[in-house]
Amino acid sequence: MTKDMNAVPGDLRRPIRIALPNKGRLSDRALELFEQAGLKAQFRADRALVASLGDDFQAIFVRASDIPEYLADGAAEMGVTGADLVAESGHEDLLDVLDLGFGRCRLSVAVRDESDVRSAAVLPPGTRVATSFPRIARKYFESLGTEIEIASVSGAAEIAPHLGVADVIVDLVSTGSTLRVNGLREIDTIMISTARLVASRAALEDDVTKQVIDDLSAALESVLRASEKRYLMTNVPRDRLDEVREVIPGLSGPTIVEVLDGDDWVAAHAVVDADRVYQTIARLKALGAEGILVTRIERLMP
């Protein structure tokens, strides 16, 4: 890369800053993804809150919930955090660049098991809602035409209905086991949230910085795309190629390679879906395929 790729809005020459979660599974997955894309975090010391990500990027580690604010204030150009946290921040100048797919959960409305309520739409005006997402909750109930009272909580909201603090809760749900253990039941889903690569509008309006962001997004997306695919190689009978093409169409058809001194055989190479490898191998073996090899792909560009 040229040194111009170190530019940021305002033509300040420094590495572009990416705000990353400082702990938890979101942090671990983000660092792993960046490393797989060739951007391994280099820390100067243990517990350092800043790390180098190659020559063009610098990671700063903060609470996931604070990342939208860092981007809005211009302290970082990009960040990785949950879509729910971006929505709750209310900052309209933060734009989605890439859905990273991990950290998937849903922001749901839940009531006590014994409640007769089956939908948030029938909750009466004045319903008290315990949540750490007051902005999203209020906006959602406004869309239903229901005025609510917000009981803001910073920790687990599941206990609130049992203490009489609130009638319902709006909280993040992954498997639903925490709700069930606490005698609660989901009645509506407000949004599905995953980890996102986000950028500030100011960063995307700078042509040089936008190009760097686009390049980074393409690199991360190539890793995500590769994780869902496998590279398959096998020798197949030449006279069964038409059937082989139906089993492993690949991205644009299998690559067929001549086998030395193998008049009746050719080698077929193809990219296949990771979750279909078992069935694919079984079908190839039924066609007489031999020497089947399946390997992971590090990156896959379209």
Side-chain angles (χ1 to χ4, degrees), residues 14-227:
R14 62 164 172 77
I16 290 176
R17 290 176 179 164
I18 306 175
L20 298 178
N22 61 353
K23 61 181 179 179
R25 285 182 294 178
L26 211 60
S27 176
D28 294 340
R29 291 294 301 276
L31 287 173
E32 179 184 7
L33 176 60
F34 275 80
E35 183 173 348
Q36 290 172 334
L39 297 170
K40 183 177 181 179
Q42 300 290 337
F43 296 88
R44 292 184 178 180
D46 291 341
R47 299 185 181 181
L49 298 180
V50 176
S52 170
L53 290 171
D55 296 330
D56 301 302
F57 303 100
Q58 181 184 60
I60 59 174
F61 295 89
V62 297
R63 293 193 309 172
S65 58
D66 291 337
I67 288 175
E69 194 63 41
Y70 275 78
L71 269 64
D73 290 344
E77 287 72 51
M78 288 184 286
V80 172
T81 191
D84 55 301
L85 297 175
V86 176
E88 180 59 27
S89 75
H91 291 300
E92 297 181 356
D93 286 337
L94 304 186
L95 304 176
D96 258 13
V97 176
L98 181 64
D99 185 345
L100 302 178
F102 56 82
R104 186 179 181 84
C105 57
R106 55 193 181 273
L107 188 63
S108 296
V109 183
V111 297
R112 295 178 65 171
D113 277 337
E114 57 268 29
S115 172
D116 294 330
V117 175
R118 300 296 172 183
S119 168
V122 300
L123 288 168
T127 294
R128 192 164 173 80
V129 179
T131 184
S132 55
F133 296 89
R135 185 188 301 272
I136 296 175
R138 194 177 299 281
K139 185 176 181 179
Y140 176 71
F141 280 97
E142 284 177 355
S143 73
L144 299 178
T146 305
E147 292 186 9
I148 59 169
E149 294 182 22
I150 294 289
S152 294
V153 296
S154 57
E158 295 89 351
I159 193 64
H162 299 289
L163 298 178
V165 174
D167 306 299
V168 303
I169 69 168
V170 168
D171 204 8
L172 290 177
V173 180
S174 180
T175 65
S177 59
T178 301
L179 289 181
R180 290 191 293 272
V181 167
N182 288 281
L184 300 176
R185 169 174 48 83
E186 290 178 78
I187 57 173
D188 273 313
T189 298
I190 297 177
M191 68 177 293
I192 301 296
S193 178
T194 53
R196 307 293 175 91
L197 177 68
V198 293
S200 67
R201 189 182 302 275
L204 291 171
E205 288 177 348
D206 180 271
D207 291 339
V208 175
T209 306
K210 182 180 184 303
Q211 184 61 58
V212 181
I213 292 174
D214 288 345
D215 290 345
L216 174 61
S217 175
L220 297 178
E221 189 173 14
S222 73
V223 174
L224 296 172
R225 188 182 296 111
S227 69

Side-chain angles (χ1 to χ4, degrees), residues 202-280:
L204 291 171
E205 288 177 348
D206 180 271
D207 291 339
V208 175
T209 306
K210 182 180 184 303
Q211 184 61 58
V212 181
I213 292 174
D214 288 345
D215 290 345
L216 174 61
S217 175
L220 297 178
E221 189 173 14
S222 73
V223 174
L224 296 172
R225 188 182 296 111
S227 69
E228 300 174 352
K229 302 290 184 179
R230 296 292 183 268
Y231 193 74
L232 184 147
M233 298 166 278
T234 182
N235 292 336
V236 298
R238 188 185 299 272
D239 60 4
R240 309 205 70 171
L241 269 180
D242 288 341
E243 295 167 278
V244 169
R245 288 191 181 97
E246 294 180 5
V247 177
I248 48 172
L251 296 179
S252 56
T255 299
I256 304 301
V257 182
E258 292 292 333
V259 176
L260 186 64
D261 297 327
D263 293 340
D264 297 330
W265 293 82
V266 292
H269 295 202
V271 175
V272 300
D273 293 335
D275 60 0
R276 297 289 300 173
V277 166
Y278 177 85
Q279 294 88 339
T280 300

Side-chain angles (χ1 to χ4, degrees), residues 283-299:
R283 293 179 66 187
L284 287 171
K285 289 176 67 176
L287 294 175
E290 296 180 353
I292 300 173
L293 175 65
V294 179
T295 184
R296 292 181 180 274
I297 306 171
E298 290 189 3
R299 291 173 63 167

